[in-house]
Amino acid sequence: MATLLLLRHGRTTANADGGLAGRQPVELDETGRNQARAVGERLRALPLAAVVTSPLVRCRQTLELALPGASPVVEDGLIECGYGEWEGQPLKKLAKDPLWPVVQQHPSAAVFPQGEAMAAMAARAVAAVRSWDARLTAEHGPEAVWLACSHGDVIKAIVADALGVHLDLFQRIVADPASVTAIRYTPIRPFLLRLNDTGGDLAGLVPPARKRRRRTTRAADSDAPVGGGAGAGR
């Protein structure tokens, strides 16, 4: 199967200020822009079969800086979790909310006020990447590499699914700004190839082209056109 690269967007003004951006249109700060350019240097040599992105501006800005020649396709399934009334609030304030321990210890039960359930976010994100992966494998073959740019909790939920662990354990996973995580799905199980990679060489993630076996056939079984000679069918 194809190889999926999950890219988290670069640092935003909300990340720097300690706030929960959610689906608000926050943009990259200067550090985030530099992170995007740096990860672009690592990604640029990879033969990406497709680039898919969350619709939020911070992901689109990251890709504009990292892969300026790409034409990202927006995938709504990769959008940030809908935090509802929590959006735009300082994390220090949210940490005092009765829902906070649920989010941290039992996220599969967390439903944000006027927002989305974390379990629903995980389900639609996993469904989105698995659907894209199957489609790109069918179109480009098992050596294909593709990239999806999304958000921290979304990436952590996808990783938890790939590892076969319950969503209640996903807070143990880290996805830093501008980090790359690599997953390869197979008919039997997914494989987590990289996690939260912020500086390694990514070239080794490209699968080698599989060698085709040469067929040894008798003359009567050859693929020559009916009628025989080299000039037949010209």
Side-chain angles (χ1 to χ4, degrees), residues 64-115:
E64 287 170 4
L65 293 168
L67 300 169
S71 299
V73 179
V74 171
E75 168 53 63
D76 290 337
L78 295 176
I79 196 171
E80 177 66 286
C81 186
Y83 297 116
E85 294 176 0
W86 277 32
E87 292 189 0
Q89 299 293 322
L91 292 174
K92 289 183 178 180
K93 176 183 176 181
L94 294 174
K96 300 175 183 178
D97 192 294
L99 184 59
W100 182 267
V102 181
V103 172
Q104 299 302 318
Q105 300 173 31
H106 191 25
S108 65
V111 182
F112 293 98
Q114 302 300 314

Side-chain angles (χ1 to χ4, degrees), residues 126-159:
V126 169
V129 296
R130 285 181 175 265
S131 176
W132 271 97
D133 195 79
R135 186 188 325 169
L136 292 169
T137 298
E139 293 177 359
H140 299 278
E143 292 84 24
V145 179
W146 66 286
L147 182 140
C149 186
S150 190
H151 309 271
D153 280 349
V154 174
I155 292 171
K156 288 158 56 178
I158 294 170
V159 171

Side-chain angles (χ1 to χ4, degrees), residues 172-227:
R172 303 181 183 193
I173 299 166
V174 176
D176 288 323
S179 65
V180 176
T181 293
I183 297 171
R184 184 172 298 139
Y185 295 99
T186 77
I188 298 175
R189 68 179 69 85
F191 291 92
L192 180 64
L193 307 178
R194 300 278 181 95
L195 176 63
N196 197 36
D197 188 329
T198 57
D201 182 4
L202 300 175
L205 292 172
V206 180
R210 289 195 284 181
K211 294 181 180 179
R212 296 183 178 180
R213 293 182 178 179
R214 296 181 61 185
R215 294 197 308 168
T216 56
T217 59
R218 295 172 298 171
D221 297 328
S222 74
D223 291 330
V226 175

